[in-house]
Amino acid sequence: MGAVHTMNRTIARRLAAHAYALRIPRKAFSSQAPGNDVSSLPACPSNEHVVKPSLKNDGQLYDVAIVGGGMVGMALACSLARMPLTKQLNVAIIDSNPALQNKLIIKKEDPPDPRVSTVTPATISLFKDVGAWEYVLQNRHAFFDKMQVWDYTGLGYTRYEARDINKEALGCVVENKVLHYALLSCLQNTEFQKTIYSSRLTSMAVHRSSSSTRADNSSSITTLHNQGNLAKLDLSDGSSLYAKLVVGSDGGKSRVRELAGFKTTGWNYPQNAIICTVEHTVENQCAWQRFLPAGPIALLPIGDKFSNIVWTMSPKEASDCNSMKEDDFIKAVNHALDYGYGPHPKSSLLGNGDIFSWLRADATSSARESFEVPPKVVKLASTRMVFPLSLRHANDYASKRVALIGDAAHTVHPLAGQGVNMGFEDAFALSKVIAEGIAVGTDIGEVSLLKKYEAERKPANIMMMAVLDGFQKAYSVDFGPLNVLRAAAFNGAHYISPLKRSIISYASGEQKLPLFS
């Protein structure tokens, strides 16, 4: 292990000598302007390859500017802070969220926030790699090892269990504020050079000159920007800064995406989602999802006898549910999760699955599990929130000096809870590509380097989006023959062990669907 660390330090010193990113003469920048670092940690020791701007220039210079300090943006910052080749980078984080400046205090006894994410085993592994998962475990969270999915027609259902793939859990439900807190805490406990701007991006300029342009010894920041070697960002507080690479992690209405001219493809669904926290008399340890005529309803465990509701329906129905009295809303939820809209599935449309008996020798343990009714909701434990649903995908994830991650690159239907996991995978993939660029002395804002990130993440994201959109469309039609086909699909997933294992592994982020591998 010591030899590995020595090798990494040697590589870093050699790369510094190359001034890897822009070949910028060091004497052009003589001092670091005071930053806005909320961590109050000692400054990181000087590293030669970290460019430090002069006060006489009209803006600070950073290696990376992350626009959007939410969960995905902070995941990128954490990953950069932990890797040997990127931890010396000087990074700006631009976000007006006061939580970045004033560390959020989370009390376990507080009721859960309705905004939660279901993180997959693959995401948990990434969080462990950067040291953030230990902070999640200090707060409320709920692992679940079982999931039941069924149709309102009563024709079929399927159950998934972690032991089907020799795992301890299928996933973990965590409040978004806890994930954000964990990442922020992880970042603050490093010596990573970061400056947090409590502001919004108003304009951005990237000159498209040739990547062969070199800076001479008298080059200023402005000259380098004009030569296409830097992006310039103007903020709502009147300040400006420059960066070799701008990363848009600023959500579905990304300002970076708009200013950089990325085109998108997508559509709005004729559905809204209503989310809230509910309470039971017993602890819920299973994830439940029922497909209803207007859209799915999911009941996700959060721990401490709490669950999260994500209920998709028409905008009119969502408005009505949001304005219901609490007792009426609880009755509607229990109705939707029990006998409402149709009967409970018996065992299956195909009897006891005898048609699949030839596979029974390899049957998963969950194939022998009977249908169960979810625990009753007894109380509303949060406000109800309603938001519209859409699918959007950026045609490109990267251009010169700009890359998109998370919802800035793709937004999906929430029916499988995959959106934030896709974003986290984007963040960690981009950080690795940046490290690869540093390792070979490449400008980290060069489009040829950033396209490697796009080539890795775009096909995976498109496939997941296609699967989720297909589910949304297949379960939005109430038509007899289609209902039977859906039931057959449920039963196939329930009894055909190889198919079930592949579905679980894919949803866990651990493998591609064999059909598309």
Side-chain angles (χ1 to χ4, degrees):
M1 182 64 71
V4 173
H5 289 305
T6 300
M7 182 180 69
N8 286 334
R9 287 196 296 270
T10 301
I11 292 173
R13 285 196 296 269
R14 289 177 179 174
L15 292 173
H18 291 297
Y20 67 91
L22 297 175
R23 306 173 182 87
I24 300 174
R26 205 166 310 285
K27 71 179 184 179
F29 312 108
S30 59
S31 64
Q32 172 86 37
N36 223 0
D37 194 337
V38 299
S39 67
S40 299
L41 290 171
C44 186
S46 176
N47 291 282
E48 288 187 334
H49 72 274
V50 177
V51 181
K52 297 184 177 182
S54 169
L55 289 170
K56 67 183 180 181
N57 289 295
D58 58 351
Q60 290 200 65
L61 175 64
Y62 296 91
D63 296 299
V64 181
I66 301 173
V67 182
M71 295 185 291
V72 173
M74 295 306 294
L76 173 62
C78 283
S79 186
L80 293 175
R82 293 288 177 167
M83 289 193 296
L85 289 176
T86 58
K87 66 182 181 180
Q88 309 295 344
L89 296 177
N90 193 11
V91 172
I93 301 172
I94 302 165
D95 196 307
S96 58
N97 183 356
L100 295 181
Q101 292 284 3
N102 306 308
K103 191 171 180 180
L104 182 65
I105 298 175
I106 298 177
K107 297 179 180 179
K108 266 193 169 183
E109 60 269 22
D110 291 343
D113 191 272
R115 290 162 293 192
V116 306
S117 294
T118 303
V119 291
T120 63
T123 293
I124 292 171
S125 179
L126 294 173
F127 267 58
K128 288 179 178 178
D129 288 345
V130 299
W133 191 247
E134 62 183 274
Y135 297 102
V136 174
L137 297 180
Q138 294 170 9
N139 293 279
R140 185 189 290 112
H141 62 281
F143 287 98
F144 61 93
D145 61 359
K146 296 178 290 185
M147 182 175 185
Q148 179 175 285
V149 185
W150 72 107
D151 189 278
Y152 70 93
T153 62
L155 296 177
Y157 74 98
T158 188
R159 289 179 64 86
Y160 302 103
E161 294 187 4
R163 58 184 176 175
D164 291 339
I165 56 169
N166 299 314
K167 297 290 185 181
E168 293 183 357
L170 294 175
C172 186
V173 183
V174 189
E175 294 162 71
N176 289 354
K177 68 180 182 182
V178 170
L179 291 171
H180 193 246
Y181 163 84
L183 291 163
L184 184 57
S185 298
C186 176
L187 186 62
Q188 289 177 333
N189 288 328
T190 68
E191 294 185 341
F192 193 51
Q193 296 187 82
K194 60 193 176 296
T195 302
I196 297 179
Y197 287 84
S198 294
S199 189
R200 293 176 291 102
L201 177 67
T202 56
S203 65
M204 180 175 70
V206 181
H207 289 280
R208 306 289 177 178
S209 63
S210 170
S211 60
S212 63
T213 301
R214 288 178 177 267
D216 61 32
N217 288 341
S218 62
S219 297
S220 66
I221 292 180
T222 303
T223 301
L224 293 166
H225 164 60
N226 291 337
Q227 292 175 339
N229 291 319
L230 297 172
K232 181 182 180 184
L233 295 84
D234 297 316
L235 308 184
S236 58
D237 62 4
S239 62
S240 298
L241 59 99
Y242 294 84
K244 303 170 191 175
L245 171 62
V246 179
V247 179
S249 58
D250 49 342
K253 297 180 180 179
S254 172
R255 181 69 170 153
V256 171
R257 187 182 66 210
E258 177 188 354
L259 293 172
F262 289 101
K263 303 298 183 183
T264 63
T265 301
W267 47 84
N268 296 324
Y269 291 115
Q271 296 172 316
N272 284 0
I274 184 165
I275 63 173
C276 61
T277 303
V278 296
E279 193 170 349
H280 312 283
T281 56
V282 296
E283 186 165 356
N284 177 26
Q285 297 179 326
C286 178
W288 313 83
Q289 187 167 53
R290 188 186 189 199
F291 286 92
L292 304 175
I297 181 171
L299 182 73
L300 307 172
I302 310 177
D304 302 330
K305 298 183 181 179
F306 292 108
S307 290
N308 182 262
I309 292 283
V310 183
W311 193 353
T312 302
M313 57 188 74
S314 71
K316 172 68 166 58
E317 290 173 317
S319 178
D320 292 342
C321 280
N322 195 36
S323 60
M324 281 181 182
K325 293 180 180 179
E326 179 177 332
D327 288 347
D328 292 335
F329 179 74
I330 292 171
K331 289 178 182 177
V333 168
N334 286 325
H335 182 71
L337 289 168
D338 201 338
Y339 277 108
Y341 305 96
H344 294 165
K346 298 301 181 184
S347 56
S348 81
L349 179 66
L350 303 169
N352 290 315
D354 290 336
I355 192 172
F356 302 115
S357 60
W358 59 282
L359 286 169
R360 192 155 291 171
D362 189 38
T364 59
S365 58
S366 59
R368 294 183 286 271
E369 297 288 338
S370 300
F371 175 83
E372 294 182 14
V373 179
K376 295 293 183 185
V377 173
V378 297
K379 183 180 178 182
L380 186 63
S382 76
T383 58
R384 285 161 277 181
M385 304 175 68
V386 177
F387 56 93
L389 303 181
S390 63
L391 181 146
R392 288 282 183 279
H393 188 254
N395 297 343
D396 297 287
Y397 289 9
S399 64
K400 187 173 178 64
R401 310 239 165 262
V402 182
L404 303 178
I405 60 176
D407 283 358
H410 44 76
T411 57
V412 298
H413 197 286
L415 67 85
Q418 290 294 332
V420 74
N421 293 292
M422 294 163 64
F424 286 140
E425 291 189 29
D426 290 348
F428 289 101
L430 179 58
S431 67
K432 290 178 181 177
V433 168
I434 292 171
E436 290 171 6
I438 294 173
V440 296
T442 300
D443 179 348
I444 61 174
E446 272 302 314
V447 67
S448 59
L449 176 68
L450 298 176
K451 284 293 183 181
K452 293 181 180 179
Y453 151 71
E454 179 178 311
E456 177 181 348
R457 291 301 306 150
K458 190 175 178 181
N461 289 335
I462 288 175
M463 180 51 56
M464 179 61 77
M465 295 176 78
V467 169
L468 297 178
D469 187 59
F471 267 102
Q472 190 278 332
K473 288 179 167 56
Y475 287 92
S476 296
V477 178
D478 185 10
F479 178 59
L482 184 58
N483 293 346
V484 174
L485 288 174
R486 289 198 304 246
F490 271 124
N491 287 287
H494 189 60
Y495 288 106
I496 302 176
S497 300
L499 176 60
K500 174 176 282 191
R501 292 190 180 103
S502 292
I503 291 172
I504 297 173
S505 295
Y506 181 62
S508 299
E510 296 185 347
Q511 73 173 45
K512 297 178 181 179
L513 287 175
L515 182 62
F516 302 102
S517 298

